[in-house]
Amino acid sequence: MPKQILKFPAGFLWGSATSAYQIEGGNTNDWSEWEKSEVRSNKLEKEGKNLDDYLCGSACKSYELFGEDIKCLKELNCSAYRLGLEWSRLEPEAGKFDKSAIAHYRLILKTLKENQIKIVLTLWHWTNPVWLIKQGGWENQKVRQYFSRYARLIVNELGDLVDFWVILNEPLMIIGHGYLDGKFPPNKKFNPTLFKVIYNFLAVHKQSYKIIHNRYPKARVSLAMTTGAFTPANIYNPLDRLMVKLANYFRNDWFLNRLKGYFDYIGVNYYHHDRLSWRPPFRKNLNKKITDLGWEIYPAGLEQVLKNYQKYQKPIYILENGIADADDKLRPDFIKDHLFYAHQAIKQGIDVRGYFYWSLLDNFEWAEGYWPKFGLYAVDRKTFKRTARPSAKVYAEICKNNRVVIS
Ligand code: IFM
């Protein structure tokens, strides 16, 4: 292939993404409690796993070491950072907010601003205060009232520093893993309460959208969608093609359609591609190239997802895209190849305005623990020292020059 230089539009945001629980350390919430539960430890023991690798514990100590993280962002020439707040830290008891936690988050956000880094702030990225879980968590309608109280606090205390809001991160992942396959807390399998949870997610999103907009009418508010690209296993088979239509609708559109009028941009998280067949086992991936987690690498799927979202006529930000690749052998091309397809979308007039690599640091990958390495920076689990991987240099060049060189 001849060398290509892909210029991105002026003002395109280049960033990296993290979430509070996965990097902060020292949190107590539904996840930390589940990680320590007997059921969980027995299962891990049976599988011969080292329990410590599956306890979030100190994570990357980013609550204290946020200055180090900002140094990494500067080294990467990032113009934006997507980070999250930990609800359980801010409201450790129902209705009682921790002033020092608010002040601490304010300090983090102010330091980002002083470093000319735009802030994309996530209010909820899967973890919940224990007091909420004791009342039924997201299955209880009261979550609507509780989340509004939390959202109001954030708007009042931190809202002046936020550039982009993400109310909920990938709510449908919690439906899939929390209520269908049981991999994530509350570990329910094929449980019909998932419908209550979905409707509470929708209501919470709408309410929070209004709360933010009442105070900041020009705010840019959305959610991060867990998207998927689907292709038929046999393009000539109408049933395979029907499967693709259904999968695309339920994964990418159904939830968003219900929020029309309540998002100012679309937040895209893209990791997954599936070749679908109407016959069990339904998924027939070729898996020519896979990540350490076994996920098929399919950069063209990003263009497909972006094209699908054009119909909403809103700016699109790719809020997560990344790879578990401990050897860092695949990551440089992974990033460039995905950006190639993002650029293809832009060339066709799709309004893509930013890209955030997941993740800045190796962090706690939920039920998988610490072994998957998504970071542009490796984190030493004893000293917490951050070390740039070679791919960090590749990404830093892209961010600095606002272009990708494909050779
Ligand atoms: O680590 C997660 C993140 O919390 C949500 N999106 C997918 C990432 C990789 O699995």
Side-chain angles (χ1 to χ4, degrees):
M1 209 209 267
K3 182 169 160 181
Q4 293 186 60
I5 297 180
L6 311 176
K7 270 299 274 164
F8 280 72
F12 192 85
L13 284 190
W14 293 104
S16 188
T18 57
S19 86
Y21 187 60
Q22 290 175 276
I23 64 164
E24 281 184 356
N27 282 310
T28 303
N29 55 33
D30 55 342
W31 270 83
S32 65
E33 293 313 282
W34 170 68
E35 288 155 28
K36 289 184 277 182
S37 69
E38 239 181 87
V39 194
R40 171 77 172 153
S41 357
N42 288 347
K43 183 175 176 280
L44 292 173
E45 247 162 30
K46 262 197 208 145
E47 291 167 0
K49 306 242 168 89
N50 176 6
L51 295 192
D52 287 349
D53 295 340
Y54 293 84
L55 292 173
C56 184
S58 306
C60 307
K61 275 209 174 163
S62 286
Y63 197 67
E64 287 103 63
L65 301 180
F66 67 90
E68 297 300 307
D69 298 347
I70 296 177
K71 269 192 214 154
C72 299
L73 291 162
K74 292 302 281 181
E75 263 176 24
L76 291 171
N77 304 306
C78 281
S79 48
Y81 182 37
R82 176 177 170 216
L83 76 166
L85 300 174
E86 175 60 33
W87 186 3
S88 64
R89 191 190 281 285
L90 285 156
E91 194 178 354
E93 283 178 55
K96 289 199 182 143
F97 293 111
D98 182 334
K99 288 206 171 108
S100 65
I102 299 169
H104 190 84
Y105 279 122
R106 218 179 145 77
L107 174 67
I108 299 179
L109 300 190
K110 277 187 103 172
T111 315
L112 284 164
K113 286 266 130 140
E114 281 157 19
N115 282 279
Q116 288 80 46
I117 295 174
K118 289 215 173 357
I119 294 164
V120 180
L121 191 68
T122 311
L123 299 191
W124 180 86
H125 196 122
W126 299 355
T127 52
N128 303 292
V130 173
W131 58 260
L132 173 69
I133 297 305
K134 286 191 177 149
Q135 296 184 48
W138 285 84
E139 291 160 35
N140 184 344
Q141 276 222 9
K142 277 197 181 157
V143 69
R144 303 180 184 192
Q145 181 188 320
Y146 295 147
F147 200 94
S148 291
R149 182 172 65 192
Y150 164 61
R152 245 177 239 116
L153 170 93
I154 305 308
V155 170
N156 293 337
E157 300 288 345
L158 305 173
D160 57 319
L161 298 169
V162 179
D163 296 290
F164 294 86
W165 299 82
V166 178
I167 299 170
L168 302 175
N169 179 71
E170 301 181 0
L172 294 185
M173 270 291 156
I174 292 302
I175 297 301
H177 293 318
Y179 292 87
L180 288 171
D181 69 16
K183 256 173 67 177
F184 289 2
N187 314 102
K188 298 192 173 168
K189 287 192 182 162
F190 294 101
N191 193 299
T193 47
L194 68 86
F195 293 104
K196 284 192 191 164
V197 178
I198 292 181
Y199 285 100
N200 285 333
F201 278 146
L202 289 168
V204 158
H205 178 94
K206 287 183 184 169
Q207 283 169 194
S208 310
Y209 181 92
K210 284 192 218 147
I211 292 170
I212 299 169
H213 269 274
N214 279 345
R215 177 78 189 264
Y216 295 103
K218 291 194 179 141
R220 287 166 287 189
V221 187
S222 191
L223 72 160
M225 288 292 295
T226 173
T227 66
F230 303 98
T231 42
N234 174 358
I235 48 162
Y236 301 109
N237 187 325
L239 291 177
D240 288 5
R241 292 210 304 268
L242 178 69
M243 289 287 286
V244 165
K245 276 210 164 126
L246 290 173
N248 185 49
Y249 176 71
F250 285 107
R251 174 86 180 249
N252 299 322
D253 287 315
W254 183 85
F255 197 80
L256 208 55
N257 273 333
R258 260 132 209 94
L259 293 177
K260 274 194 186 142
Y262 291 90
F263 52 90
D264 307 305
Y265 68 92
I266 300 179
V268 166
N269 292 2
Y270 175 69
Y271 297 90
H272 300 117
H273 165 253
D274 282 314
R275 279 176 87 243
L276 297 179
S277 155
W278 66 276
R279 265 189 271 231
F282 308 115
R283 198 180 275 164
K284 285 198 174 164
N285 285 4
L286 298 176
N287 287 341
K288 283 192 187 139
K289 261 194 191 172
I290 54 169
T291 74
D292 291 351
L293 277 162
W295 301 350
E296 186 180 47
I297 301 175
Y298 189 73
L302 179 58
E303 183 185 345
Q304 203 176 308
V305 164
L306 297 171
K307 269 188 182 165
N308 177 56
Y309 282 148
Q310 195 179 23
K311 58 182 178 259
Y312 295 97
Q313 299 191 318
K314 294 281 179 198
I316 304 174
Y317 291 85
I318 302 159
L319 292 182
E320 282 186 33
N321 173 236
I323 177 170
D325 176 28
D327 297 336
D328 204 42
K329 290 262 157 56
L330 302 175
R331 191 173 285 105
D333 280 348
F334 177 97
I335 296 175
K336 286 185 176 186
D337 293 347
H338 282 81
L339 286 170
F340 172 84
Y341 285 103
H343 192 264
Q344 289 290 108
I346 295 171
K347 275 204 315 203
Q348 292 162 58
I350 300 169
D351 191 6
V352 186
R353 297 195 185 173
Y355 175 89
F356 291 71
Y357 177 79
W358 180 276
S359 182
L360 181 64
L361 309 169
D362 285 346
N363 58 47
F364 184 71
E365 178 57 19
W366 307 109
E368 302 293 340
Y370 281 110
W371 73 262
K373 307 292 185 199
F374 275 92
L376 290 166
Y377 286 78
V379 177
D380 184 299
R381 297 253 22 93
K382 291 210 173 77
T383 62
F384 300 97
K385 187 174 180 304
R386 282 90 165 115
T387 307
R389 294 205 161 95
S391 54
K393 304 214 167 66
V394 173
Y395 192 52
E397 278 299 298
I398 295 174
C399 300
K400 182 168 137 207
N401 300 318
N402 196 32
R403 66 178 204 191
V404 179
V405 180
I406 312 259
S407 42

